[in-house]
Every structure is written in C-alpha cells, then in structure tokens.
PDB file of all heavy atoms in Angstrom:
ATOM      1  N   THR A   1     -15.205 103.503  68.324  1.00  0.00           N
ATOM      2  CA  THR A   1     -15.658 102.215  68.849  1.00  0.00           C
ATOM      3  C   THR A   1     -16.861 101.845  68.005  1.00  0.00           C
ATOM      4  O   THR A   1     -16.935 100.611  67.632  1.00  0.00           O
ATOM      5  CB  THR A   1     -15.950 102.239  70.345  1.00  0.00           C
ATOM      6  OG1 THR A   1     -14.835 102.750  71.010  1.00  0.00           O
ATOM      7  CG2 THR A   1     -16.315 100.758  70.851  1.00  0.00           C
ATOM      8  N   ILE A   2     -17.762 102.711  67.824  1.00  0.00           N
ATOM      9  CA  ILE A   2     -18.986 102.425  67.047  1.00  0.00           C
ATOM     10  C   ILE A   2     -18.510 101.932  65.616  1.00  0.00           C
ATOM     11  O   ILE A   2     -19.105 100.919  65.086  1.00  0.00           O
ATOM     12  CB  ILE A   2     -19.837 103.668  66.893  1.00  0.00           C
ATOM     13  CG1 ILE A   2     -20.406 104.148  68.286  1.00  0.00           C
ATOM     14  CG2 ILE A   2     -21.012 103.446  65.884  1.00  0.00           C
ATOM     15  CD1 ILE A   2     -20.969 105.518  68.246  1.00  0.00           C
ATOM     16  N   LEU A   3     -17.590 102.645  64.955  1.00  0.00           N
ATOM     17  CA  LEU A   3     -17.178 102.237  63.622  1.00  0.00           C
ATOM     18  C   LEU A   3     -16.578 100.757  63.673  1.00  0.00           C
ATOM     19  O   LEU A   3     -16.836 100.024  62.702  1.00  0.00           O
ATOM     20  CB  LEU A   3     -16.079 103.220  63.105  1.00  0.00           C
ATOM     21  CG  LEU A   3     -16.628 104.629  62.758  1.00  0.00           C
ATOM     22  CD1 LEU A   3     -15.390 105.526  62.549  1.00  0.00           C
ATOM     23  CD2 LEU A   3     -17.522 104.587  61.551  1.00  0.00           C
ATOM     24  N   ASN A   4     -15.844 100.521  64.660  1.00  0.00           N
ATOM     25  CA  ASN A   4     -15.260  99.141  64.814  1.00  0.00           C
ATOM     26  C   ASN A   4     -16.260  98.037  65.049  1.00  0.00           C
ATOM     27  O   ASN A   4     -15.933  96.874  64.797  1.00  0.00           O
ATOM     28  CB  ASN A   4     -14.150  99.180  65.904  1.00  0.00           C
ATOM     29  CG  ASN A   4     -12.997  99.957  65.559  1.00  0.00           C
ATOM     30  OD1 ASN A   4     -12.643 100.166  64.387  1.00  0.00           O
ATOM     31  ND2 ASN A   4     -12.291 100.505  66.572  1.00  0.00           N
ATOM     32  N   ARG A   5     -17.406  98.298  65.539  1.00  0.00           N
ATOM     33  CA  ARG A   5     -18.404  97.331  65.972  1.00  0.00           C
ATOM     34  C   ARG A   5     -19.625  97.349  65.014  1.00  0.00           C
ATOM     35  O   ARG A   5     -20.599  96.694  65.253  1.00  0.00           O
ATOM     36  CB  ARG A   5     -18.893  97.631  67.395  1.00  0.00           C
ATOM     37  CG  ARG A   5     -17.761  97.549  68.429  1.00  0.00           C
ATOM     38  CD  ARG A   5     -16.932  96.285  68.340  1.00  0.00           C
ATOM     39  NE  ARG A   5     -17.821  95.157  68.788  1.00  0.00           N
ATOM     40  CZ  ARG A   5     -17.371  93.868  68.658  1.00  0.00           C
ATOM     41  NH1 ARG A   5     -16.157  93.592  68.127  1.00  0.00           N
ATOM     42  NH2 ARG A   5     -18.208  92.936  69.005  1.00  0.00           N
ATOM     43  N   SER A   6     -19.453  97.871  63.815  1.00  0.00           N
ATOM     44  CA  SER A   6     -20.629  97.920  62.896  1.00  0.00           C
ATOM     45  C   SER A   6     -20.257  97.349  61.551  1.00  0.00           C
ATOM     46  O   SER A   6     -19.144  97.531  61.062  1.00  0.00           O
ATOM     47  CB  SER A   6     -21.097  99.403  62.643  1.00  0.00           C
ATOM     48  OG  SER A   6     -21.475 100.014  63.870  1.00  0.00           O
ATOM     49  N   ASN A   7     -21.221  96.565  60.993  1.00  0.00           N
ATOM     50  CA  ASN A   7     -20.957  95.947  59.703  1.00  0.00           C
ATOM     51  C   ASN A   7     -20.955  96.979  58.566  1.00  0.00           C
ATOM     52  O   ASN A   7     -20.245  96.910  57.605  1.00  0.00           O
ATOM     53  CB  ASN A   7     -21.982  94.860  59.423  1.00  0.00           C
ATOM     54  CG  ASN A   7     -21.801  93.646  60.294  1.00  0.00           C
ATOM     55  OD1 ASN A   7     -20.730  93.255  60.657  1.00  0.00           O
ATOM     56  ND2 ASN A   7     -22.936  93.059  60.655  1.00  0.00           N
ATOM     57  N   ARG A   8     -21.822  97.965  58.760  1.00  0.00           N
ATOM     58  CA  ARG A   8     -21.921  99.121  57.755  1.00  0.00           C
ATOM     59  C   ARG A   8     -22.118 100.381  58.509  1.00  0.00           C
ATOM     60  O   ARG A   8     -22.693 100.437  59.603  1.00  0.00           O
ATOM     61  CB  ARG A   8     -23.148  98.907  56.755  1.00  0.00           C
ATOM     62  CG  ARG A   8     -22.849  97.827  55.751  1.00  0.00           C
ATOM     63  CD  ARG A   8     -24.072  97.643  54.854  1.00  0.00           C
ATOM     64  NE  ARG A   8     -24.562  98.817  54.206  1.00  0.00           N
ATOM     65  CZ  ARG A   8     -24.001  99.329  53.073  1.00  0.00           C
ATOM     66  NH1 ARG A   8     -22.940  98.684  52.514  1.00  0.00           N
ATOM     67  NH2 ARG A   8     -24.498 100.390  52.515  1.00  0.00           N
ATOM     68  N   THR A   9     -21.680 101.455  57.911  1.00  0.00           N
ATOM     69  CA  THR A   9     -21.637 102.780  58.567  1.00  0.00           C
ATOM     70  C   THR A   9     -22.270 103.814  57.587  1.00  0.00           C
ATOM     71  O   THR A   9     -21.731 103.881  56.411  1.00  0.00           O
ATOM     72  CB  THR A   9     -20.316 103.205  59.095  1.00  0.00           C
ATOM     73  OG1 THR A   9     -19.798 102.266  59.962  1.00  0.00           O
ATOM     74  CG2 THR A   9     -20.420 104.475  59.819  1.00  0.00           C
ATOM     75  N   CYS A  10     -23.183 104.630  58.017  1.00  0.00           N
ATOM     76  CA  CYS A  10     -23.697 105.742  57.301  1.00  0.00           C
ATOM     77  C   CYS A  10     -23.351 107.024  58.024  1.00  0.00           C
ATOM     78  O   CYS A  10     -23.419 107.141  59.226  1.00  0.00           O
ATOM     79  CB  CYS A  10     -25.121 105.680  57.108  1.00  0.00           C
ATOM     80  SG  CYS A  10     -25.772 104.224  56.261  1.00  0.00           S
ATOM     81  N   LEU A  11     -22.897 108.036  57.334  1.00  0.00           N
ATOM     82  CA  LEU A  11     -22.650 109.414  57.860  1.00  0.00           C
ATOM     83  C   LEU A  11     -23.757 110.293  57.319  1.00  0.00           C
ATOM     84  O   LEU A  11     -24.157 110.322  56.179  1.00  0.00           O
ATOM     85  CB  LEU A  11     -21.325 109.934  57.321  1.00  0.00           C
ATOM     86  CG  LEU A  11     -21.056 111.378  57.748  1.00  0.00           C
ATOM     87  CD1 LEU A  11     -20.827 111.575  59.188  1.00  0.00           C
ATOM     88  CD2 LEU A  11     -19.796 111.932  56.995  1.00  0.00           C
ATOM     89  N   VAL A  12     -24.355 111.051  58.303  1.00  0.00           N
ATOM     90  CA  VAL A  12     -25.380 112.037  57.940  1.00  0.00           C
ATOM     91  C   VAL A  12     -24.779 113.425  58.329  1.00  0.00           C
ATOM     92  O   VAL A  12     -24.528 113.679  59.504  1.00  0.00           O
ATOM     93  CB  VAL A  12     -26.722 111.833  58.636  1.00  0.00           C
ATOM     94  CG1 VAL A  12     -27.404 110.651  57.973  1.00  0.00           C
ATOM     95  CG2 VAL A  12     -26.591 111.541  60.145  1.00  0.00           C
ATOM     96  N   ALA A  13     -24.569 114.279  57.314  1.00  0.00           N
ATOM     97  CA  ALA A  13     -23.975 115.591  57.592  1.00  0.00           C
ATOM     98  C   ALA A  13     -24.299 116.544  56.473  1.00  0.00           C
ATOM     99  O   ALA A  13     -24.131 116.207  55.251  1.00  0.00           O
ATOM    100  CB  ALA A  13     -22.480 115.430  57.653  1.00  0.00           C
ATOM    101  N   ASP A  14     -24.921 117.673  56.831  1.00  0.00           N
ATOM    102  CA  ASP A  14     -25.258 118.688  55.876  1.00  0.00           C
ATOM    103  C   ASP A  14     -24.054 119.490  55.449  1.00  0.00           C
ATOM    104  O   ASP A  14     -22.979 119.414  56.030  1.00  0.00           O
ATOM    105  CB  ASP A  14     -26.374 119.524  56.255  1.00  0.00           C
ATOM    106  CG  ASP A  14     -25.996 120.413  57.471  1.00  0.00           C
ATOM    107  OD1 ASP A  14     -25.988 120.014  58.639  1.00  0.00           O
ATOM    108  OD2 ASP A  14     -25.649 121.637  57.176  1.00  0.00           O
ATOM    109  N   HIS A  15     -24.244 120.375  54.498  1.00  0.00           N
ATOM    110  CA  HIS A  15     -23.140 121.174  53.910  1.00  0.00           C
ATOM    111  C   HIS A  15     -22.476 122.133  54.833  1.00  0.00           C
ATOM    112  O   HIS A  15     -21.336 122.588  54.648  1.00  0.00           O
ATOM    113  CB  HIS A  15     -23.594 121.929  52.587  1.00  0.00           C
ATOM    114  CG  HIS A  15     -24.415 123.087  52.899  1.00  0.00           C
ATOM    115  ND1 HIS A  15     -25.793 123.004  53.105  1.00  0.00           N
ATOM    116  CD2 HIS A  15     -24.088 124.483  53.068  1.00  0.00           C
ATOM    117  CE1 HIS A  15     -26.212 124.236  53.426  1.00  0.00           C
ATOM    118  NE2 HIS A  15     -25.242 125.123  53.341  1.00  0.00           N
ATOM    119  N   THR A  16     -23.153 122.482  55.896  1.00  0.00           N
ATOM    120  CA  THR A  16     -22.500 123.415  56.862  1.00  0.00           C
ATOM    121  C   THR A  16     -21.296 122.871  57.547  1.00  0.00           C
ATOM    122  O   THR A  16     -20.364 123.572  57.954  1.00  0.00           O
ATOM    123  CB  THR A  16     -23.514 123.854  57.969  1.00  0.00           C
ATOM    124  OG1 THR A  16     -23.909 122.727  58.755  1.00  0.00           O
ATOM    125  CG2 THR A  16     -24.785 124.524  57.379  1.00  0.00           C
ATOM    126  N   LYS A  17     -21.273 121.474  57.553  1.00  0.00           N
ATOM    127  CA  LYS A  17     -20.054 120.831  58.147  1.00  0.00           C
ATOM    128  C   LYS A  17     -18.828 120.978  57.284  1.00  0.00           C
ATOM    129  O   LYS A  17     -17.663 120.878  57.722  1.00  0.00           O
ATOM    130  CB  LYS A  17     -20.259 119.406  58.362  1.00  0.00           C
ATOM    131  CG  LYS A  17     -21.558 119.127  59.163  1.00  0.00           C
ATOM    132  CD  LYS A  17     -21.470 119.658  60.602  1.00  0.00           C
ATOM    133  CE  LYS A  17     -22.671 119.438  61.356  1.00  0.00           C
ATOM    134  NZ  LYS A  17     -23.034 118.141  61.660  1.00  0.00           N
ATOM    135  N   PHE A  18     -18.993 121.301  55.976  1.00  0.00           N
ATOM    136  CA  PHE A  18     -17.835 121.513  55.004  1.00  0.00           C
ATOM    137  C   PHE A  18     -17.112 122.795  55.315  1.00  0.00           C
ATOM    138  O   PHE A  18     -15.923 122.880  54.991  1.00  0.00           O
ATOM    139  CB  PHE A  18     -18.383 121.600  53.601  1.00  0.00           C
ATOM    140  CG  PHE A  18     -19.129 120.446  53.068  1.00  0.00           C
ATOM    141  CD1 PHE A  18     -19.853 120.521  51.856  1.00  0.00           C
ATOM    142  CD2 PHE A  18     -19.173 119.248  53.773  1.00  0.00           C
ATOM    143  CE1 PHE A  18     -20.554 119.457  51.403  1.00  0.00           C
ATOM    144  CE2 PHE A  18     -19.952 118.163  53.304  1.00  0.00           C
ATOM    145  CZ  PHE A  18     -20.614 118.289  52.143  1.00  0.00           C
ATOM    146  N   SER A  19     -17.745 123.811  55.944  1.00  0.00           N
ATOM    147  CA  SER A  19     -17.010 125.030  56.193  1.00  0.00           C
ATOM    148  C   SER A  19     -16.629 125.183  57.626  1.00  0.00           C
ATOM    149  O   SER A  19     -16.232 126.274  58.032  1.00  0.00           O
ATOM    150  CB  SER A  19     -18.043 126.189  55.755  1.00  0.00           C
ATOM    151  OG  SER A  19     -19.288 126.137  56.564  1.00  0.00           O
ATOM    152  N   ARG A  20     -16.706 124.107  58.398  1.00  0.00           N
ATOM    153  CA  ARG A  20     -16.273 124.178  59.815  1.00  0.00           C
ATOM    154  C   ARG A  20     -15.070 123.362  60.112  1.00  0.00           C
ATOM    155  O   ARG A  20     -14.649 122.609  59.247  1.00  0.00           O
ATOM    156  CB  ARG A  20     -17.426 123.620  60.733  1.00  0.00           C
ATOM    157  CG  ARG A  20     -18.767 124.387  60.581  1.00  0.00           C
ATOM    158  CD  ARG A  20     -19.754 124.014  61.615  1.00  0.00           C
ATOM    159  NE  ARG A  20     -19.225 124.448  62.934  1.00  0.00           N
ATOM    160  CZ  ARG A  20     -19.562 123.936  64.106  1.00  0.00           C
ATOM    161  NH1 ARG A  20     -20.311 122.799  64.090  1.00  0.00           N
ATOM    162  NH2 ARG A  20     -19.094 124.329  65.296  1.00  0.00           N
ATOM    163  N   SER A  21     -14.444 123.577  61.260  1.00  0.00           N
ATOM    164  CA  SER A  21     -13.283 122.898  61.595  1.00  0.00           C
ATOM    165  C   SER A  21     -13.368 122.472  63.091  1.00  0.00           C
ATOM    166  O   SER A  21     -14.093 123.131  63.835  1.00  0.00           O
ATOM    167  CB  SER A  21     -12.029 123.698  61.361  1.00  0.00           C
ATOM    168  OG  SER A  21     -10.853 123.018  61.754  1.00  0.00           O
ATOM    169  N   ALA A  22     -12.765 121.371  63.432  1.00  0.00           N
ATOM    170  CA  ALA A  22     -12.730 120.946  64.724  1.00  0.00           C
ATOM    171  C   ALA A  22     -11.346 120.162  64.997  1.00  0.00           C
ATOM    172  O   ALA A  22     -10.766 119.657  63.972  1.00  0.00           O
ATOM    173  CB  ALA A  22     -13.898 119.939  65.042  1.00  0.00           C
ATOM    174  N   PRO A  23     -10.911 120.132  66.228  1.00  0.00           N
ATOM    175  CA  PRO A  23      -9.529 119.650  66.473  1.00  0.00           C
ATOM    176  C   PRO A  23      -9.340 118.101  66.489  1.00  0.00           C
ATOM    177  O   PRO A  23      -8.133 117.662  66.335  1.00  0.00           O
ATOM    178  CB  PRO A  23      -9.186 120.266  67.816  1.00  0.00           C
ATOM    179  CG  PRO A  23     -10.469 120.344  68.487  1.00  0.00           C
ATOM    180  CD  PRO A  23     -11.504 120.645  67.456  1.00  0.00           C
ATOM    181  N   ALA A  24     -10.307 117.298  66.709  1.00  0.00           N
ATOM    182  CA  ALA A  24     -10.108 115.848  66.997  1.00  0.00           C
ATOM    183  C   ALA A  24     -10.658 115.094  65.799  1.00  0.00           C
ATOM    184  O   ALA A  24     -11.773 115.262  65.287  1.00  0.00           O
ATOM    185  CB  ALA A  24     -10.802 115.451  68.229  1.00  0.00           C
ATOM    186  N   ARG A  25      -9.821 114.121  65.245  1.00  0.00           N
ATOM    187  CA  ARG A  25     -10.176 113.269  64.172  1.00  0.00           C
ATOM    188  C   ARG A  25     -10.867 112.036  64.604  1.00  0.00           C
ATOM    189  O   ARG A  25     -10.442 111.295  65.450  1.00  0.00           O
ATOM    190  CB  ARG A  25      -8.898 112.930  63.349  1.00  0.00           C
ATOM    191  CG  ARG A  25      -9.144 112.104  62.120  1.00  0.00           C
ATOM    192  CD  ARG A  25      -7.908 111.780  61.420  1.00  0.00           C
ATOM    193  NE  ARG A  25      -8.082 111.012  60.174  1.00  0.00           N
ATOM    194  CZ  ARG A  25      -8.296 109.771  60.037  1.00  0.00           C
ATOM    195  NH1 ARG A  25      -8.208 108.921  61.183  1.00  0.00           N
ATOM    196  NH2 ARG A  25      -8.514 109.174  58.921  1.00  0.00           N
ATOM    197  N   ILE A  26     -12.025 111.794  64.001  1.00  0.00           N
ATOM    198  CA  ILE A  26     -12.803 110.469  64.242  1.00  0.00           C
ATOM    199  C   ILE A  26     -12.311 109.405  63.293  1.00  0.00           C
ATOM    200  O   ILE A  26     -11.819 108.348  63.715  1.00  0.00           O
ATOM    201  CB  ILE A  26     -14.294 110.699  64.041  1.00  0.00           C
ATOM    202  CG1 ILE A  26     -14.762 111.872  64.952  1.00  0.00           C
ATOM    203  CG2 ILE A  26     -15.011 109.442  64.262  1.00  0.00           C
ATOM    204  CD1 ILE A  26     -16.209 112.283  64.639  1.00  0.00           C
ATOM    205  N   ALA A  27     -12.386 109.669  62.027  1.00  0.00           N
ATOM    206  CA  ALA A  27     -12.095 108.680  60.980  1.00  0.00           C
ATOM    207  C   ALA A  27     -11.990 109.407  59.647  1.00  0.00           C
ATOM    208  O   ALA A  27     -12.026 110.657  59.623  1.00  0.00           O
ATOM    209  CB  ALA A  27     -13.132 107.556  60.946  1.00  0.00           C
ATOM    210  N   SER A  28     -12.070 108.686  58.506  1.00  0.00           N
ATOM    211  CA  SER A  28     -12.114 109.218  57.233  1.00  0.00           C
ATOM    212  C   SER A  28     -13.441 108.817  56.530  1.00  0.00           C
ATOM    213  O   SER A  28     -14.073 107.773  56.879  1.00  0.00           O
ATOM    214  CB  SER A  28     -10.871 108.719  56.395  1.00  0.00           C
ATOM    215  OG  SER A  28     -11.036 109.048  54.990  1.00  0.00           O
ATOM    216  N   LEU A  29     -13.898 109.591  55.515  1.00  0.00           N
ATOM    217  CA  LEU A  29     -14.925 109.105  54.674  1.00  0.00           C
ATOM    218  C   LEU A  29     -14.631 107.847  53.990  1.00  0.00           C
ATOM    219  O   LEU A  29     -15.556 107.025  53.569  1.00  0.00           O
ATOM    220  CB  LEU A  29     -15.234 110.185  53.636  1.00  0.00           C
ATOM    221  CG  LEU A  29     -16.182 111.365  54.012  1.00  0.00           C
ATOM    222  CD1 LEU A  29     -16.275 112.330  52.891  1.00  0.00           C
ATOM    223  CD2 LEU A  29     -17.541 110.801  54.323  1.00  0.00           C
ATOM    224  N   ALA A  30     -13.335 107.472  53.899  1.00  0.00           N
ATOM    225  CA  ALA A  30     -12.970 106.124  53.375  1.00  0.00           C
ATOM    226  C   ALA A  30     -13.548 104.985  54.244  1.00  0.00           C
ATOM    227  O   ALA A  30     -13.656 103.856  53.767  1.00  0.00           O
ATOM    228  CB  ALA A  30     -11.433 106.029  53.236  1.00  0.00           C
ATOM    229  N   ASP A  31     -13.677 105.309  55.547  1.00  0.00           N
ATOM    230  CA  ASP A  31     -14.254 104.304  56.471  1.00  0.00           C
ATOM    231  C   ASP A  31     -15.816 104.226  56.510  1.00  0.00           C
ATOM    232  O   ASP A  31     -16.366 103.446  57.268  1.00  0.00           O
ATOM    233  CB  ASP A  31     -13.731 104.624  57.892  1.00  0.00           C
ATOM    234  CG  ASP A  31     -12.190 104.735  57.952  1.00  0.00           C
ATOM    235  OD1 ASP A  31     -11.588 103.785  57.431  1.00  0.00           O
ATOM    236  OD2 ASP A  31     -11.689 105.704  58.421  1.00  0.00           O
ATOM    237  N   VAL A  32     -16.436 105.038  55.637  1.00  0.00           N
ATOM    238  CA  VAL A  32     -17.924 105.141  55.688  1.00  0.00           C
ATOM    239  C   VAL A  32     -18.414 104.485  54.429  1.00  0.00           C
ATOM    240  O   VAL A  32     -17.916 104.625  53.294  1.00  0.00           O
ATOM    241  CB  VAL A  32     -18.320 106.644  55.653  1.00  0.00           C
ATOM    242  CG1 VAL A  32     -19.827 106.810  55.462  1.00  0.00           C
ATOM    243  CG2 VAL A  32     -17.963 107.270  57.026  1.00  0.00           C
ATOM    244  N   ASP A  33     -19.571 103.709  54.555  1.00  0.00           N
ATOM    245  CA  ASP A  33     -20.115 103.059  53.381  1.00  0.00           C
ATOM    246  C   ASP A  33     -21.010 103.988  52.564  1.00  0.00           C
ATOM    247  O   ASP A  33     -21.001 103.989  51.374  1.00  0.00           O
ATOM    248  CB  ASP A  33     -20.911 101.860  53.893  1.00  0.00           C
ATOM    249  CG  ASP A  33     -20.096 100.755  54.490  1.00  0.00           C
ATOM    250  OD1 ASP A  33     -19.223 100.177  53.756  1.00  0.00           O
ATOM    251  OD2 ASP A  33     -20.109 100.559  55.681  1.00  0.00           O
ATOM    252  N   VAL A  34     -21.892 104.774  53.291  1.00  0.00           N
ATOM    253  CA  VAL A  34     -22.767 105.691  52.604  1.00  0.00           C
ATOM    254  C   VAL A  34     -22.779 107.068  53.318  1.00  0.00           C
ATOM    255  O   VAL A  34     -22.821 107.119  54.538  1.00  0.00           O
ATOM    256  CB  VAL A  34     -24.230 105.123  52.597  1.00  0.00           C
ATOM    257  CG1 VAL A  34     -25.117 106.084  51.756  1.00  0.00           C
ATOM    258  CG2 VAL A  34     -24.285 103.732  52.146  1.00  0.00           C
ATOM    259  N   PHE A  35     -22.677 108.131  52.546  1.00  0.00           N
ATOM    260  CA  PHE A  35     -22.618 109.480  53.056  1.00  0.00           C
ATOM    261  C   PHE A  35     -23.836 110.174  52.507  1.00  0.00           C
ATOM    262  O   PHE A  35     -24.017 110.453  51.342  1.00  0.00           O
ATOM    263  CB  PHE A  35     -21.334 110.156  52.628  1.00  0.00           C
ATOM    264  CG  PHE A  35     -21.277 111.606  52.973  1.00  0.00           C
ATOM    265  CD1 PHE A  35     -21.923 112.143  54.048  1.00  0.00           C
ATOM    266  CD2 PHE A  35     -20.438 112.451  52.318  1.00  0.00           C
ATOM    267  CE1 PHE A  35     -21.884 113.475  54.370  1.00  0.00           C
ATOM    268  CE2 PHE A  35     -20.251 113.827  52.631  1.00  0.00           C
ATOM    269  CZ  PHE A  35     -21.013 114.307  53.656  1.00  0.00           C
ATOM    270  N   TYR A  36     -24.763 110.603  53.372  1.00  0.00           N
ATOM    271  CA  TYR A  36     -25.972 111.361  53.049  1.00  0.00           C
ATOM    272  C   TYR A  36     -25.749 112.795  53.401  1.00  0.00           C
ATOM    273  O   TYR A  36     -25.430 113.150  54.476  1.00  0.00           O
ATOM    274  CB  TYR A  36     -27.209 110.872  53.860  1.00  0.00           C
ATOM    275  CG  TYR A  36     -27.638 109.511  53.667  1.00  0.00           C
ATOM    276  CD1 TYR A  36     -27.010 108.431  54.350  1.00  0.00           C
ATOM    277  CD2 TYR A  36     -28.553 109.157  52.664  1.00  0.00           C
ATOM    278  CE1 TYR A  36     -27.355 107.075  54.120  1.00  0.00           C
ATOM    279  CE2 TYR A  36     -28.908 107.828  52.454  1.00  0.00           C
ATOM    280  CZ  TYR A  36     -28.334 106.768  53.169  1.00  0.00           C
ATOM    281  OH  TYR A  36     -28.704 105.455  52.993  1.00  0.00           O
ATOM    282  N   THR A  37     -25.844 113.621  52.337  1.00  0.00           N
ATOM    283  CA  THR A  37     -25.665 115.103  52.473  1.00  0.00           C
ATOM    284  C   THR A  37     -26.596 115.802  51.556  1.00  0.00           C
ATOM    285  O   THR A  37     -27.316 115.214  50.775  1.00  0.00           O
ATOM    286  CB  THR A  37     -24.159 115.385  52.225  1.00  0.00           C
ATOM    287  OG1 THR A  37     -23.943 116.849  52.616  1.00  0.00           O
ATOM    288  CG2 THR A  37     -23.771 115.260  50.749  1.00  0.00           C
ATOM    289  N   ASP A  38     -26.577 117.154  51.622  1.00  0.00           N
ATOM    290  CA  ASP A  38     -27.568 117.982  50.885  1.00  0.00           C
ATOM    291  C   ASP A  38     -27.002 118.676  49.649  1.00  0.00           C
ATOM    292  O   ASP A  38     -27.764 118.893  48.674  1.00  0.00           O
ATOM    293  CB  ASP A  38     -28.228 119.018  51.745  1.00  0.00           C
ATOM    294  CG  ASP A  38     -27.208 119.945  52.475  1.00  0.00           C
ATOM    295  OD1 ASP A  38     -26.069 119.544  52.657  1.00  0.00           O
ATOM    296  OD2 ASP A  38     -27.662 121.100  52.733  1.00  0.00           O
ATOM    297  N   LEU A  39     -25.743 118.893  49.550  1.00  0.00           N
ATOM    298  CA  LEU A  39     -25.155 119.575  48.389  1.00  0.00           C
ATOM    299  C   LEU A  39     -24.012 118.706  47.756  1.00  0.00           C
ATOM    300  O   LEU A  39     -23.440 117.801  48.423  1.00  0.00           O
ATOM    301  CB  LEU A  39     -24.579 120.934  48.813  1.00  0.00           C
ATOM    302  CG  LEU A  39     -25.567 121.970  49.274  1.00  0.00           C
ATOM    303  CD1 LEU A  39     -24.812 123.335  49.539  1.00  0.00           C
ATOM    304  CD2 LEU A  39     -26.674 122.230  48.269  1.00  0.00           C
ATOM    305  N   THR A  40     -23.744 119.063  46.478  1.00  0.00           N
ATOM    306  CA  THR A  40     -22.557 118.315  45.829  1.00  0.00           C
ATOM    307  C   THR A  40     -21.353 118.559  46.537  1.00  0.00           C
ATOM    308  O   THR A  40     -20.996 119.724  46.978  1.00  0.00           O
ATOM    309  CB  THR A  40     -22.536 118.803  44.349  1.00  0.00           C
ATOM    310  OG1 THR A  40     -23.821 118.610  43.743  1.00  0.00           O
ATOM    311  CG2 THR A  40     -21.439 118.026  43.639  1.00  0.00           C
ATOM    312  N   LEU A  41     -20.492 117.583  46.646  1.00  0.00           N
ATOM    313  CA  LEU A  41     -19.132 117.710  47.293  1.00  0.00           C
ATOM    314  C   LEU A  41     -18.255 118.384  46.354  1.00  0.00           C
ATOM    315  O   LEU A  41     -18.397 118.438  45.175  1.00  0.00           O
ATOM    316  CB  LEU A  41     -18.611 116.323  47.651  1.00  0.00           C
ATOM    317  CG  LEU A  41     -19.403 115.400  48.605  1.00  0.00           C
ATOM    318  CD1 LEU A  41     -18.534 114.145  48.832  1.00  0.00           C
ATOM    319  CD2 LEU A  41     -19.684 116.084  49.863  1.00  0.00           C
ATOM    320  N   PRO A  42     -17.233 119.146  46.934  1.00  0.00           N
ATOM    321  CA  PRO A  42     -16.164 119.676  46.200  1.00  0.00           C
ATOM    322  C   PRO A  42     -15.551 118.586  45.265  1.00  0.00           C
ATOM    323  O   PRO A  42     -15.521 117.347  45.637  1.00  0.00           O
ATOM    324  CB  PRO A  42     -15.173 120.155  47.167  1.00  0.00           C
ATOM    325  CG  PRO A  42     -15.927 120.434  48.378  1.00  0.00           C
ATOM    326  CD  PRO A  42     -17.022 119.417  48.386  1.00  0.00           C
ATOM    327  N   HIS A  43     -15.112 118.975  44.073  1.00  0.00           N
ATOM    328  CA  HIS A  43     -14.635 117.954  43.089  1.00  0.00           C
ATOM    329  C   HIS A  43     -13.656 116.947  43.623  1.00  0.00           C
ATOM    330  O   HIS A  43     -13.765 115.706  43.440  1.00  0.00           O
ATOM    331  CB  HIS A  43     -14.086 118.663  41.835  1.00  0.00           C
ATOM    332  CG  HIS A  43     -13.555 117.652  40.775  1.00  0.00           C
ATOM    333  ND1 HIS A  43     -14.425 116.882  39.997  1.00  0.00           N
ATOM    334  CD2 HIS A  43     -12.297 117.454  40.441  1.00  0.00           C
ATOM    335  CE1 HIS A  43     -13.672 116.142  39.212  1.00  0.00           C
ATOM    336  NE2 HIS A  43     -12.436 116.444  39.407  1.00  0.00           N
TER     337      HIS A  43
END
C-alpha cells in the first residue's frame, strides 16, 4: 500500500539481506526509484 501511495520510493537495505530468505514477496527492485546499500550488488 505504501508503494502504491508514494510518488517516489527508496529502499534501505544492507548486504546481510542478500544472504537471507523470507517467504512473502513485497515487490521488486524494479518498483524502487533509489536503492541505498553498503556493498556492490551481484553482477
């Protein structure tokens, strides 16, 4: 709902989230305008 009601969206997530898994899908990075993180993403 937040994504649907915002003109722009930023994701804040450090690299530990890359190695974790969870069962429910929120959205895709394609739906995010800016992604702030600490390490380079996989290619």
Side-chain angles (χ1 to χ4, degrees):
T1 306
I2 295 165
L3 290 170
N4 290 332
R5 302 303 298 168
S6 301
N7 291 327
R8 285 176 58 80
T9 303
C10 297
L11 173 69
V12 286
D14 69 277
H15 73 276
T16 63
K17 304 299 174 67
F18 302 167
S19 59
R20 301 191 66 207
S21 180
R25 181 182 185 274
I26 302 170
S28 167
L29 275 174
D31 303 310
V32 171
D33 295 291
V34 186
F35 175 23
Y36 296 87
T37 190
D38 56 332
L39 295 184
T40 302
L41 299 185
H43 176 71

